[in-house]
Amino acid sequence: MCGIAGIFCRDGDQVQMNLLSKMTRVLYHRGPDYGAVWRKAQFGLGHRRLKIIDLSDSSNQPMTNEDRTIWLSFNGEIYNYKDLKEILIKCGHVFRSNSDTEVILHAYEEWGTDCLARMNGMFALGLVDLKKKCLLLAIDRLGIKPLFYFYNDKKLLFASEIKAILMDPSLVREIESKSLDTFLSFNYVVAPNTMFKGIRQILPGEYILVGNDFVKQEIYWKPSF
């Protein structure tokens, strides 16, 4: 288990490093082995690492590609990463680590958002594409790994746990009445809602692509009966 967090200032403002660090630090219990934050203008990513695959420092996150145009903060495990790595090497990609994290970076370079349907595993990720000036959020097919987010016209915040998002003092902590109703009925909150107004969770098999002036939500996988 790792912890991921991030900020995208859609209005072009600089990411506040103090807020990003707080969001990441509150997830310490999810990844005590290593922690770091990265910022580039209006984008910021944070990561708390629990070492599972490739214990070396070369697998620390946030991780970037060769030309530092794509950055990734990822929680989970990609079970078929070795198979995907072989395919990507044949496509000309060069790897510097033995991690499944780096495979995701190269898979996105090769296939874009279509890479999600190729990945077999449990994951939640936040990926920044500096060339396209967008942020990709996604979770695995069955929603094993959680990912929560808040967004408006000015910014988007995301994290593995809601309490990291609530580190932003500008957010109003208000109960979502419909979520309270479902919780009292079913003993859980029905996705994509959460108990907090304005904070939502990504659905299983869903990705969200966010830019300065667009938000795209797609279901990349559905079970077929």
Side-chain angles (χ1 to χ4, degrees), residues 52-172:
I52 302 294
I53 298 176
D54 187 357
L55 305 183
S56 70
D57 290 344
S58 61
S59 293
N60 286 339
Q61 299 181 51
M63 184 182 286
T64 186
N65 62 340
E66 295 94 331
D67 62 4
R68 304 177 73 83
T69 58
I70 301 172
W71 288 80
L72 175 66
S73 188
F74 154 72
N75 168 33
E77 184 175 349
I78 307 302
Y79 305 137
N80 63 334
Y81 79 98
K82 291 183 179 180
D83 295 332
L84 292 175
K85 186 174 182 178
E86 289 183 8
I87 296 172
L88 290 163
I89 289 174
K90 291 178 181 178
C91 292
H93 293 266
V94 178
F95 290 80
R96 62 182 183 274
S97 74
N98 295 313
S99 69
D100 52 351
T101 308
E102 191 179 6
V103 171
I104 298 173
L105 280 169
H106 288 282
Y108 176 81
E109 283 183 310
E110 186 68 27
W111 300 303
T113 56
D114 290 341
C115 71
L116 298 169
R118 293 174 177 258
M119 297 192 303
N120 174 19
M122 53 178 183
F123 61 87
L125 61 86
L127 182 147
V128 172
D129 188 329
L130 292 175
K131 288 183 177 179
K132 296 181 178 179
K133 294 184 178 180
C134 65
L135 169 70
L136 172 66
L137 303 178
I139 65 171
D140 57 79
R141 302 178 185 187
L142 298 181
I144 299 172
K145 294 296 183 179
L147 193 57
F148 302 91
Y149 66 97
F150 166 89
Y151 81 91
N152 54 27
D153 293 338
K154 293 185 177 181
K155 61 186 172 183
L156 182 147
L157 309 174
F158 74 89
S160 299
E161 298 182 20
I162 292 175
K163 64 183 178 182
I165 296 174
L166 293 177
M167 289 294 101
D168 186 345
S170 69
L171 266 61
V172 178

Side-chain angles (χ1 to χ4, degrees), residues 36-49:
V37 295
W38 163 84
R39 178 184 68 178
K40 180 72 172 180
Q42 65 190 119
F43 295 99
L45 295 175
H47 191 266
R48 291 299 322 184
R49 183 184 179 195

